[in-house]
Amino acid sequence: MEVTAREPVLVDLALQGGGSHGAFTWGVLDRLLEEPWLRIEAISGTSAGAMNAALVADGWTQGGAAGARAVLDAYWRRVSHAAAFSPLQRSPLDRLMGRWTTTRRRPMS
């Protein structure tokens, strides 16, 4: 089977905010940046999406798609490492009891 060259497809991306969305979007961006036929023409975002957009733009100037992937990887690994040592962690007992959030809710009356 012969592989033919294809014209690049230009895309504009608008990325949503939210911490967990930012980490999820990192994976999506990493996969998109693997495709040689896909070119990000413009990128913007809010909150964590804006961080991802800035990281992609900065990394792209340093080394194209590979540079963008490397910068995203380094950033999100640092975020993950920092979160592991956050003082706002749930205790092992909280996790065991199914308390998945650090907020305290008052019972409804």
Side-chain angles (χ1 to χ4, degrees), residues 25 58 62 67 75 97 108:
T25 302
D58 180 53
Q62 295 179 35
Y75 175 78
M97 300 297 292
M108 306 249 324

Side-chain angles (χ1 to χ4, degrees), residues 9 12 16 23 31 43 46-47 51 75-76 83 89 102 108:
V9 174
D12 299 334
Q16 71 185 53
R31 177 62 183 93
I43 189 167
T46 59
S47 190
M51 292 301 301
Y75 175 78
W76 284 105
Q89 296 285 328
T102 57
M108 306 249 324

Side-chain angles (χ1 to χ4, degrees), residues 5 30-31 96 104:
D30 187 66
R31 177 62 183 93
L96 183 65
R104 300 283 184 222

Side-chain angles (χ1 to χ4, degrees), residues 8-32:
V9 174
L10 303 178
V11 295
D12 299 334
L13 299 176
L15 310 176
Q16 71 185 53
S20 60
H21 288 116
F24 173 79
T25 302
W26 162 38
V28 173
L29 289 169
D30 187 66
R31 177 62 183 93
L32 292 175

Side-chain angles (χ1 to χ4, degrees), residues 7-98:
E7 291 292 318
V9 174
L10 303 178
V11 295
D12 299 334
L13 299 176
L15 310 176
Q16 71 185 53
S20 60
H21 288 116
F24 173 79
T25 302
W26 162 38
V28 173
L29 289 169
D30 187 66
R31 177 62 183 93
L32 292 175
L33 290 164
E34 287 180 335
E35 295 297 335
W37 54 269
L38 190 64
R39 296 282 186 263
I40 299 172
E41 180 76 3
I43 189 167
S44 66
T46 59
S47 190
M51 292 301 301
N52 279 329
L55 292 165
V56 167
D58 180 53
W60 193 275
T61 63
Q62 295 179 35
R69 291 180 71 210
V71 169
L72 282 165
D73 182 73
Y75 175 78
W76 284 105
R77 289 192 188 279
R78 284 192 313 267
V79 168
S80 174
H81 181 73
F85 297 104
S86 170
L88 301 176
Q89 296 285 328
R90 294 178 314 276
S91 72
L93 180 61
D94 285 332
R95 292 176 188 168
L96 183 65
M97 300 297 292

